[in-house]
Amino acid sequence: MKSHAKAVVIGGGVVGCSVLYHLAKAGWTDIMLIERSELTSGSSWHAAGGFHTLNGDPNVAKLQAYTVQLYREIEELSGQSCSLHLTGGVMMADTPERMDFLRLAHAKGRYLGMDTELITPSEAKAMFPLMDETNFVGAMWDPVEGHLDPSGTTHAYAKAARKLGAEIVLRNRVVELTQEVDGTWNVVTEQGTVKAEHVVNCGGLWAREIGRMVGVELPLLAMEHMYLLTEPMPEVEEFNKSTGREMIGVMDFKGEIYTRQERNGILLGTYEKACKPWSPVNTPWDFGHELLQPDIDRIAPSLEIGFKHFPGIEKAGIKQIINGPFTFALDGNPLVGPVQGLTNFWCACAVMAGFSQGGGVGLALSNWMVHGDPSFDVWGMDVARFGEWATLRYTNAKVRENYSRRFSIRFPNEELPAARPAQTTPLYDTMLANNAVMGDSWGLETPLWFAPKGTEPKDIVSFHRSNDFGPIGEEVRATREKVGVTEIANFAKYEVSGPGSEDFLNRLMTNRMPKTSRIVLTPMLNDFGRLIGDFTIAKAGEERFMIWSSSAAQKYHMRWFEKHLPKDGPGASQVRIHRFDQTLVGLSIAGPKSRDLLQKLVDADISTKAFRFMDFREMAVGGAPCMVNRITYTGDLGYEIWMAPAYQRLVYKAIKDAGEEFGLVDFGMRALLSMRLEKNFPTWFRELRPIYGPFEGAMDRFVKLEKNDFIGRDAAAREQAEGPKLRRVSFIVDAADADVMGDEPIWAKVGGKDYGTVEKPHGYGAPRFDADGKEVRGSRAAEGASAVRGIVDGDWRVVGWVTSGGYAHYIQKSMAQGYVPAALAADESAGLFEIEILGSRRPARINVEPPFDPSGEKMRA
């Protein structure tokens, strides 16, 4: 074993081998993988080996599609077969609600280039005759599903990596990680110490233990997962013989089961409600190629439904029950990327769907390590998406909840209860007393809407407009016409101070920094000119800036800030960054009476001239020391008031008492988001993400290319000079009883013109056949299709996608934001666009100017 390496990958499962392969493919050959036992000694060896491309996050789905494409590449390079079986698969819906879910998934697939198709239960039965189709109302076919050999695939990655120059060391446990002053890591193993520039935690079942070596508690947990293998079944053998094909894979939401053919029998796996964590505190180092004791009683309820839905399986003998541990993060997606607060320590763990996601994870992480950027929007997998509130016990509760809901629908207005409340503000009990329906905002309890007195404060979950629709409308109208108050503690809050702080921020941000007591809005770009932040910045003093942004991005942004702190020259070691989190909380008042209300609570002059739009002041509000911004996300006259938690109850009571004469109402986060739609305001991680440039995101007025050489400036200048390919726009939508939720396709009547925004097919495809061996309608050729069925309909094309939207209650219109080709972005013609909502294409029209207060007079009044 050599003593030095550019990068050491810890863990020899499918993910570790994929990361090693992709690093080698990217040109890093001085790299090694260290495995405590043999390759596939954790979860990989006993995995069911299924793969698919669908994911709730379309950006993760892209990386899953890449993974499937990759298998032929590594087979050819390594000479090792992956035993790839591309059978295709169906998701079965047994209720109208689950069918709505499939319509949403099918619509997302349109702009991703996925060749899915909504089919009847009878068509599904033709490909999997073991089912009783009368239990279902519909299904969705996906040709890019199948299964492979987990061990063969992992070794294919490993052999391909070795051929490219990588080293693999087996039977050698990592026992300690330390870091030198120069950032070099000491990877201490049973066979000696390796000095490495980078360390990658691909520890799988032991990822927590590897993280703890560097002081990090990763939010993941291993769960026991069972699947069974049947004895050979005559029905399977007959189907194979008569059709010349394997049976397809099937996912049954109601039964919480998945099935596929395994040799001449069937593999059936469950995600049962009565789930069981494995080794919830510490993972034993001596665990290896063992299986856990099966517990057939625990999965019996799922099997009972499964046997009813698939009676052909019930009479089959059970050959073996596999029970093994797999790691999950809180939301079921992987933990990938650099860990904030550490130098060159990377994660690629909690990849429970390793054979669907492992290739994409390896590609994104290698890009990140080699080029400084993952080259994809990987927020759905970023290890920075969870905060300090994701403790061991919180994680264990949330992972159990996620596992038990693996095949459950997550409705757009559904708030999940496990591990809550985790964080609360001083107003939590007050909000509950006010009949607030609370939501989880990055671990913090936040009021979403207020139920009328005498009614239960509870969401009725739905894909359609629900019981919150009327109350939110009342909150919006009262705020727009009088004044409203809302809690804004869920914003991210930072202070940047010290000599060189202004130069530091000017280097990071696209806009000029404000003068003292003034505020600016500014994006932040990565080196490739893509949007990685959207900030409100106030200059609070000569060398002190207050900053606000999205709460969910706090660790993501701190990671970027720390990376770019000045290391020499002006400000070196003197710029200080403080993240307040919940040590600073806030309230916002908005509406035409908000100035009158606030004036009763302060002793300073806050007239239009004395306290202008975009001013910042430190002043006492209701007797409490506060910071006040003259700005609100409602786009109306209003103020953000920030204070230490000790003062929040005092300030809120003062606002409520003083506001009574003005008709003050409480409003929640959903009303705030409704009002922002009326102003065409974007949101971070929906409209503004690192796959878009600032001009694509319509952030032009906040980008000052001439100010100084900020990060991403050259790329932004090229984008402006060449013209953005896409453009963020707002739509008025002729919706029925359901509004957009995000990720819906945008259709345009553009004839034969190709605007180039639709993804091309992902490479693999499988035709569908009926029981007689005939290819069914709509099925595409096995490979290389030049067009994707479902994105072209006569003169109509899918040209873009929705990022967010909802109902704009004050203007009483359904609205959406999304991206379309720049050539279409200013066309407000009726009849040009349609947006697909729950399978129905609804007329939509671009609205260039915001429908509420287009001139901005109200917020500047």
Side-chain angles (χ1 to χ4, degrees):
M1 183 179 72
K2 59 187 179 184
S3 60
H4 292 76
K6 187 173 184 67
V8 169
V9 177
I10 303 173
V14 64
V15 176
C17 291
S18 172
V19 169
L20 189 74
Y21 166 70
H22 282 91
L23 285 173
K25 185 180 178 182
W28 283 15
T29 55
D30 182 19
I31 55 178
M32 70 187 331
L33 182 149
I34 300 177
E35 161 57 40
R36 51 174 280 283
S37 181
E38 307 292 338
L39 297 182
T40 76
S41 290
S43 298
S44 296
W45 76 273
H46 60 74
F51 60 81
H52 55 90
T53 56
L54 286 169
N55 187 282
D57 185 328
N59 298 290
V60 176
K62 289 182 183 181
L63 290 172
Q64 291 183 186
Y66 164 80
T67 300
V68 178
Q69 286 180 311
L70 181 65
Y71 288 134
R72 288 188 178 176
E73 176 183 314
I74 62 172
E75 280 184 329
E76 291 175 5
L77 179 58
S78 68
Q80 168 73 49
S81 172
C82 296
S83 296
L84 192 69
H85 296 252
L86 193 68
T87 62
V90 291
M91 292 183 174
M92 305 302 300
D94 67 305
T95 64
E97 290 78 14
R98 287 192 172 94
M99 199 62 217
D100 277 345
F101 172 79
L102 293 184
R103 291 187 183 101
L104 284 169
H106 175 59
K108 288 181 184 181
R110 291 192 195 279
Y111 69 82
L112 289 173
M114 298 170 70
D115 196 17
T116 61
E117 183 182 0
L118 298 177
I119 63 175
T120 67
S122 296
E123 288 179 297
K125 181 181 175 66
M127 295 179 284
F128 195 82
L130 302 176
M131 76 169 62
D132 178 357
E133 75 275 21
T134 64
N135 291 295
F136 304 104
V137 299
M140 185 175 73
W141 160 255
D142 180 7
V144 191
E145 288 192 16
H147 59 96
L148 43 66
D149 171 27
S151 179
T153 301
T154 304
H155 281 85
Y157 278 120
K159 290 180 179 179
R162 278 191 175 116
K163 283 194 172 183
L164 294 174
E167 180 180 349
I168 296 176
V169 180
L170 303 178
R171 297 173 291 282
N172 183 30
R173 182 166 70 89
V174 174
V175 297
E176 186 181 12
L177 293 169
T178 63
Q179 195 167 27
E180 304 288 350
V181 174
D182 66 358
T184 301
W185 287 97
N186 297 308
V187 183
V188 184
T189 78
E190 294 171 328
Q191 297 177 16
T193 298
V194 181
K195 288 192 174 292
E197 184 179 339
H198 299 263
V199 171
V200 188
N201 180 1
C202 298
L205 294 174
W206 295 270
R208 285 179 310 184
E209 279 65 31
I210 300 298
R212 289 166 183 166
M213 291 180 184
V214 296
V216 174
E217 187 66 40
L218 290 169
L220 58 88
L221 173 68
M223 300 293 293
E224 294 191 13
H225 180 66
M226 277 183 278
Y227 62 87
L228 59 85
L229 302 172
T230 73
E231 298 284 357
M233 297 175 58
E235 300 93 329
V236 174
E237 294 175 337
E238 173 58 30
F239 180 86
N240 298 159
K241 182 179 179 180
S242 63
T243 65
R245 299 183 311 279
E246 281 186 77
M247 286 189 176
I248 63 170
V250 180
M251 186 181 296
D252 176 9
F253 293 112
K254 175 68 173 177
E256 299 159 341
I257 59 176
Y258 59 90
T259 71
R260 66 166 175 82
Q261 183 173 336
E262 174 69 13
R263 299 185 183 275
N264 294 325
I266 292 293
L267 180 152
L268 185 151
T270 70
Y271 283 93
E272 68 282 0
K273 298 293 185 189
C275 56
K276 184 179 179 181
W278 177 76
S279 194
V281 178
N282 297 289
T283 305
W285 286 106
D286 59 355
F287 184 80
H289 279 83
E290 298 106 324
L291 289 173
L292 307 177
Q293 185 66 33
D295 185 358
I296 194 74
D297 291 338
R298 201 172 78 239
I299 64 174
S302 293
L303 294 180
E304 183 177 348
I305 298 172
F307 291 155
K308 177 185 175 184
H309 288 184
F310 305 96
I313 302 176
E314 182 177 16
K315 57 189 176 183
I318 297 176
K319 181 171 67 175
Q320 186 180 10
I321 299 176
I322 306 293
N323 186 18
F326 289 88
T327 55
F328 294 77
L330 281 65
D331 56 4
N333 275 340
L335 300 172
V336 179
V339 175
Q340 187 251 318
L342 298 174
T343 304
N344 291 341
F345 184 84
W346 306 80
C347 279
C349 46
V351 190
M352 58 77 50
F355 296 97
S356 292
Q357 300 173 339
V361 167
L363 175 65
L365 190 66
S366 65
N367 285 340
W368 216 334
M369 295 173 68
V370 175
H371 305 296
D373 187 84
S375 303
F376 297 91
D377 185 349
V378 297
W379 173 249
M381 301 191 299
D382 197 321
V383 67
R385 70 189 185 274
F386 300 117
E388 293 81 0
W389 39 267
T391 61
L392 181 63
R393 291 192 178 190
Y394 181 98
T395 294
N396 289 354
K398 275 296 182 187
V399 169
R400 288 198 298 270
E401 179 183 62
N402 177 269
Y403 183 99
S404 69
R405 291 177 49 88
R406 186 77 181 162
F407 287 165
S408 298
I409 296 171
R410 177 71 183 270
F411 291 94
N413 63 334
E414 185 173 12
E415 294 287 329
L416 302 182
R420 293 177 55 194
Q423 297 181 91
T424 60
T425 71
L427 292 179
Y428 177 66
D429 292 337
T430 302
M431 293 295 117
L432 291 181
N434 290 347
N435 232 25
V437 177
M438 305 298 286
D440 178 355
S441 177
W442 209 61
L444 177 70
E445 295 296 312
T446 300
L448 299 177
W449 60 283
F450 293 84
K453 284 183 171 39
T455 65
E456 184 182 8
K458 180 181 179 181
D459 276 315
I460 297 175
V461 295
S462 176
F463 289 119
H464 301 261
R465 293 173 189 161
S466 189
N467 62 321
D468 64 347
F469 188 79
I472 291 172
E474 293 297 321
E475 293 171 23
V476 169
R477 284 185 289 274
T479 300
R480 287 285 194 224
E481 294 168 5
K482 296 177 182 177
V483 60
V485 59
T486 192
E487 193 172 19
I488 52 173
N490 61 329
F491 286 26
K493 294 86 61 175
Y494 313 88
E495 182 183 69
V496 176
S497 60
S501 55
E502 185 158 350
D503 290 339
F504 169 69
L505 290 172
N506 263 319
R507 172 71 177 144
L508 261 60
M509 307 297 172
T510 67
N511 206 347
R512 297 185 182 90
M513 289 303 99
K515 296 179 179 179
T516 303
S517 299
R518 291 289 288 166
I519 298 168
V520 298
L521 306 177
T522 178
M524 182 169 72
L525 308 179
N526 63 16
D527 295 294
F528 302 94
R530 298 297 176 177
L531 290 160
I532 59 169
D534 179 37
F535 299 91
T536 299
I537 300 181
K539 189 170 185 180
E542 187 58 34
E543 296 176 345
R544 175 173 167 252
F545 293 83
M546 292 297 303
I547 303 177
W548 294 268
S549 71
S550 169
S551 62
Q554 289 182 63
K555 299 196 81 171
Y556 176 87
H557 286 146
M558 283 297 294
R559 187 173 64 192
W560 186 260
F561 295 158
E562 290 167 356
K563 178 180 178 180
H564 293 282
L565 279 170
K567 297 176 177 58
D568 50 43
S573 304
Q574 298 183 70
V575 175
R576 298 179 296 276
I577 305 172
H578 175 66
R579 176 166 71 94
F580 288 96
D581 203 6
Q582 294 313 308
T583 62
L584 185 68
V585 295
L587 296 163
S588 177
I589 57 174
K593 298 294 184 181
S594 58
R595 178 185 288 114
D596 298 335
L597 191 164
L598 184 60
Q599 187 65 77
K600 294 185 66 175
L601 304 178
V602 301
D603 299 318
D605 180 5
I606 59 167
S607 62
T608 302
K609 289 184 179 180
F611 195 28
R612 301 166 295 166
F613 177 60
M614 302 289 277
D615 268 357
F616 166 88
R617 293 286 188 277
E618 295 186 73
M619 63 178 80
V621 178
C626 296
M627 294 178 286
V628 183
N629 296 334
R630 220 207 105 174
I631 187 175
T632 79
Y633 197 41
T634 66
D636 215 322
L637 172 65
Y639 306 85
E640 294 175 350
I641 307 167
W642 302 97
M643 72 290 296
Y647 296 109
Q648 192 186 29
R649 291 174 68 93
L650 171 65
V651 176
Y652 178 73
K653 185 178 185 304
I655 290 172
K656 292 287 284 188
D657 290 345
E660 190 171 348
E661 70 174 278
F662 303 110
L664 177 74
V665 298
D666 288 289
F667 69 94
M669 188 57 55
R670 290 181 186 167
L672 180 65
L673 293 176
S674 173
M675 287 185 274
R676 70 96 186 175
L677 287 173
E678 299 172 336
K679 290 294 294 179
N680 292 359
F681 288 167
T683 59
W684 179 241
F685 286 126
R686 293 304 301 180
E687 283 72 46
L688 309 179
R689 298 186 68 139
I691 52 174
Y692 308 121
F695 299 100
E696 288 181 326
M699 304 294 282
D700 311 39
R701 65 186 184 279
F702 306 121
V703 181
K704 311 300 182 187
L705 294 172
E706 70 284 357
K707 77 178 181 81
N708 62 269
D709 186 22
F710 56 84
I711 295 171
R713 181 196 174 281
D714 291 345
R718 284 195 300 273
E719 182 191 355
Q720 184 192 51
E722 297 171 2
K725 294 182 175 62
L726 304 174
R727 187 75 170 177
R728 175 177 64 86
V729 295
S730 286
F731 289 94
I732 301 290
V733 187
D734 182 15
D737 66 338
D739 304 296
V740 302
M741 290 158 268
D743 301 324
E744 292 89 350
I746 300 170
W747 295 77
K749 192 174 184 179
V750 294
K753 295 181 181 178
D754 181 8
Y755 288 91
T757 62
V758 177
E759 300 283 343
K760 296 303 179 187
H762 291 308
Y764 286 120
R768 279 198 302 112
F769 299 89
D770 61 22
D772 297 323
K774 296 181 180 178
E775 188 170 349
V776 302
R777 60 177 176 78
S779 180
R780 68 181 171 122
E783 294 176 42
S786 60
V788 178
R789 175 184 40 76
I791 63 170
V792 178
D793 179 12
D795 288 338
W796 290 85
R797 301 270 192 285
V798 173
V799 297
W801 53 91
V802 169
T803 51
S804 71
Y807 195 78
H809 285 269
Y810 194 66
I811 66 166
Q812 298 183 33
K813 300 286 185 182
S814 186
M815 293 193 70
Q817 290 193 35
Y819 282 82
V820 300
L824 296 173
D827 194 331
E828 296 183 288
S829 303
L832 176 59
F833 292 101
E834 292 178 346
I835 294 177
E836 188 171 346
I837 303 175
L838 295 177
S840 174
R841 283 161 52 180
R842 309 297 302 180
R845 178 177 55 81
I846 285 179
N847 207 73
V848 174
E849 294 295 327
F852 176 79
D853 188 29
S855 66
E857 293 177 4
K858 293 182 183 295
M859 60 185 180
R860 292 179 172 82

